[in-house]
Every structure is written in C-alpha cells, then in structure tokens.
Amino acid sequence: MSVDGWNTVLVLGGIRSGKSEFAESLVADAPMVRYVATAADAPADDAEWAARLATHRGRRPETWTTEETADDPRRLADVVAAARPNETLLVDDLGGWATVLLDPAHQPADDTATIAELAAAVRACPARLVLVSPEVGLSLVPTTPLGRAFTDALGAANRAIADACDAVVLVVAGQAVWLKPGAPQAGAAAARSTPAPPAAGTVEAPGTPGPAPDVFTPATEPAGDAETRGGTETSDGGDWAAPTMALPVVATGLVIQAGMELPMPDEYAGPQAIERLATLDVAGAGLGVLERAVGFAAATQGTATPAPWHPVRVLLLHGDHLGDAAAGTVPGESARRARDARSGRGALARLAAESGAELEVVRAPASAPMEAGPALTGEQVEAALRHGWRLAEEAADAGVRLLVLGACGAGTEAAAAAVLVATAGAEAPAVLGRVVTGSGEIDDAAWMRRCAAVRDALHRTRQSPRSAKDVLAELGGGDVAVATGVLLGATARRLPVMLDGPVGVAAAMVSRDLAGQARHWCLLADHGGHPAVRLGADVLGLTPLLDLRLDLGEGANALAALPLLRSVLTLAAALPTHPALDGDGDGGPAADEPDFSEPEPAGPGPASTGPASTEPDFREPQPASTEPDFREPQPAGPGPTTVGPETEPVDPSGRRAG
C-alpha cells in the first residue's frame, strides 16, 4: 500500500472531486486488494448511473477481487471485522451504504446502532483499510425528509468512521488535504511529521515521548511506463543514485528474470579511499575495521571521499508466515509491532527518530504453511518482486542515500532458515535460533516445531527446481520475495542497502541467482548473534562491521550502529592530510622551533664569509689522535722536496740553481 503510517484511512470528498481515484491510488502498490462495493445495481431505466458504475469497475485492476454488500447494510461491518492482517480493503463508498441503510426494505432498523457497529469494526480492523465517503456537511440542508435523513445518517457515519480511522483526507478538486493526523499535505507528495520543539526553559519529564520518527508516505505511481521510470534522468539527490537500467517490459509489466546485468560499485574508488585513510591527520592508528565502511561507501558513491549517508530510509516488511514456522509466536504480536512503528512507538521508531531516518512499513503478502504446500503462488512472487523493485525506485527518486531493510512478521526466521538450507546446503537446527518467549524463557518445543516445519518443507520440495523464483514460491514467502525485489531495484539504481536480520540475508542469497551484482551493494552492520545471519554472511562474503550482538529487532540493530558509521564517514571526508605527508611543505622545522640537527662539515672553501657567530658552540672538541703512525715514508720524487725561505732549490747535478 502506498500510504504508511496509518492502518485505516477515510477519504472524503464531494461529487466528482476525485476521491475515488485518490483512494485507489493509495492501494495501487498492494499485491492484492479486496474492493468492497456498497452501491446497489443501477435501475434498468437509469443509463447514467449504470455508466458511472461501469467506469468504477473499469478502473479496477484484474488482480483485485470485488465483494458486494448492497443486499444487507450490516454485512459491511462483518466484512471489515473478518479481514485478515495480510489483506488490503477498499470500501467505496459509504454514501451507497447509507442509501441501502435507509432503504424501506431494511426498515425498521436502528441506524445509530448499525453505524456504531461499523465504526467499532473499523477501529479493530487488523487489515489495511481505505474507506471512501461523500462529504455532505458543506451542502445546503435538503428540502425533502428523505434528503435530510440521508445527510443526517451519512454525516453521523462520517464522524464515527473519522474518529475510528488513523487518518482522514479531504479531496477537493482533485487535491488532497490531510485532516488527520494533520502533518501530510498533498496526496502525491511525501508526508512527514515534525513535532514542535519544546519551549525554552522547559524540561521533559522522564518517560515523556521524544520526537516522532519521520514516517514516510510514498508518492503515488508517476505517470508513464516503466521504461521511462528506468531511464537516465538523475534524481535530486545527485548523480551517483541515478538509474542505470530499465527492466524488460512486456504486456504484463516489468519482468524480473535470472541473468540480469546490473551495475557494480566503483572498483577504484574503494581502494583509493582506504589508501587515503592512511594519510589522515589522526593521533592514533586510524579507524580500524571501520575502514571497510569507508571503502564500501566510496565504492557505492563512486568517490574516494564519500559523504555520510543522509537521508536514510528504513523499509520494515510486515508479512506473516502461517503454520509451524511461526510456532511460539504470540498471535497478533507482529501486527502490534507494525502498528507501533507506524505510530512512532517502539525501539525501531525511536531509533529512526534519533538518527533522522525515514520509516516505511511495507505490507507483504501472507505466506501459506510451507510444510504443507507452496508459500506463494507464482503470480504472487512476480507481484512481490515488482513491488519491492518499485519501493527501491521510489526511494532513489526521493534522493535517499541508504536503505535499511528489516522485517517483523511471524515465522520469518524459519522461512529465512529454509531459504538458507535450500541455497547454502545448511542444516535447519544449525541456522534456527532459539525461541524466546515474551517472558524471556527458552521454548524448546516451539524450536523443534520450527525445525520440523523446515525439514518437512525441504522434503516436500526435494524434487522441485531450485531456481530463485521457485525457492521464493515454495519456501521464502512474501516478505523474502519483497526484500529480494528491493535488493534488485536498489542495485539497478546504485543505492546501497544495509541488511539487518535473517530476511534480508535470505533475500541476498536468492538475489544472487537473479543478479550476482546485488550482494556487492549490501552492507551488514552486525550479525546480532543469529546463526542464519552468520552463515548467510559467510556465503555472501559480507563481513559484519561490528560484533555487538544486538538483538533489538530487525532494522533497529542497524539504526543503532548508523550514527557511528556516519561519524566515521564524516571524519574520513573532513580530516586533512598529515603535515608530514603534505606535498606542499618542505618537511623542515618551523622558524620558531630549535634546530637540533648536526652541523654540516666545512667544505674546501673558507668556513665563513660573514661576521663571526656570537652563539656559543656546545660541540665536544675532537681530541688529537695519540695513535702512532706506522705508514711507510714516501720516497722523494725527482722534483724539489721542499720550497721555503731556508732552502734553495738544487738541480740534479748538484749545482745550485743560479
């Protein structure tokens, strides 16, 4: 679904305001949508109303399912209450529902109780729910009793449903104005919530919630085909996040297939950045193992001086795995985690707020019990891969510099373990972590059930192909499939991804068979002590940067390490070269520093031509040599042996020179 941060949304608008089109755009990216139609069929003599209904039906994709509730107004509350957490519902609209409610065929009835029943179902609905309703509060009071009854009933319904929903948006002339929670502005723009700073001199009480995380509302799909979106235009964030390729396009849309040629990181920038670190002016030995983070950032950004990652977006995948893969999991726990993340509560949301990261909760399709049959159908795998690819494209178009990938669904660890067993030849007990209950106790019985589920799934598929899509359909399920699409789409857009947890590592294992370049764009901050992450990282050649053994939940571990990694990149980019290695200086002492160097020996010429030095000479005098000279005397040559005032030259004949 395109809107994250809210589980239920009410879309209000007048006649021909564009409210239905806007509501449909909110669920355009959902893998499957249940369209709940509330209006009764058009009378045989009303061609105009029949044309309107036909227009609505024509806009629905073939993958959507339609459910009619016009026969009984109470049935809508039953449909909403029975929706499962992995479903997405679009109800269009409450005006048709109110019309059926007031139909004499359904009277007498307690309209107030029926509206309250629907509002209660909306408030408790675990699915993603979008409701459309006409706004009647701006019109004149109708002149007929039936018109007044309709506006009163619909007005009361709108108030009750708006109070039950997480978000309310009013569409006027095709423009969306968010009324609740109030921070988002336009439906096609990113919406963020920034709290006001506390007043000067105020001190927050202990336990007072801090700033809310930057919950991201992705834009609706832009107009144009996939080839246009995958062209060569650069995003606002810079050239290194520019798209590099387009997926093959057929009549059904984008095609993700094995053997795709995706870009690799810059092979020269990384080593150059590591070499540059050795020249920085630091007091100690340097950055240690965190040099690898600088090398990774340099290679993915294409520069020897990489910038700190900002902005960062966290993709939290929420999709449950049914069957014994989720043994030991508290029912509804994963849905609660997802709701907490959307509303700014929990460890992940708090860390996202502290690090200034955007947070997007992504709905993934639920996975059937893998021990009994395929987790997904082939069509669901294709849709999930394309959905993940588009999530990465949206992030790159928004200028995001780093994606953090995590998951919070039930049974994700067992599904990731099954993928690792199938792709790396591991044993299920070796890659499945212990099951810890909410009270901190070890549940060995649940762990054995998970191991048995993986074993039975591998036995069931022992004759099945082991291609990437087959592994996703049989074992991986919805969240691993969406994560695989995210990794492939991010690779195509030169966008690095920080993995955190078994789901991301399992997706990286699967992505190798679709595009081997994807693993080179992945970074692992900490293995968290999880055996599946350890094995997958070893196979992928990913060395964790840290060994903190954090276990805060997928996504939260990476965000805890993010400030440290940003600080390392800041130092690497800002520190100057050490003066001793600076090519612009002569390396000699400064003018005001004493010179303790040895004096140069005097040459053959005069020792000094200027005035004598007035500085004392503290050099030790060289003692005269006391050793005897045993050298043989040199015989005199044919010429004069001495020339001096006491001797006269003598020629060889013995006569004095005249």
Side-chain angles (χ1 to χ4, degrees), residues 36-41 67-80 91 93-111 113-115 117-118:
V36 183
T38 61
D41 290 335
E67 192 164 349
E68 305 281 349
T69 62
D71 55 340
D72 182 6
R74 292 182 175 273
R75 187 163 177 268
L76 178 58
D78 296 336
V79 170
V80 172
V91 179
D93 66 2
L94 295 183
W97 175 78
T99 301
V100 176
L101 179 65
L102 297 177
D103 193 312
H106 301 291
Q107 296 295 329
D110 189 349
D111 299 342
T114 305
I115 293 173
E117 181 182 354
L118 177 59

Side-chain angles (χ1 to χ4, degrees), residues 124-147:
C125 181
R128 302 302 297 272
L129 177 63
V130 177
L131 303 104
V132 183
S133 183
E135 173 52 54
V136 294
L138 302 179
S139 61
L140 299 175
V141 177
T143 58
T144 63
L146 184 59

Side-chain angles (χ1 to χ4, degrees), residues 373-389:
L376 296 177
T377 64
E379 292 77 10
Q380 288 176 313
V381 170
E382 294 289 348
L385 288 172
R386 290 195 296 268
H387 182 45
W389 184 293

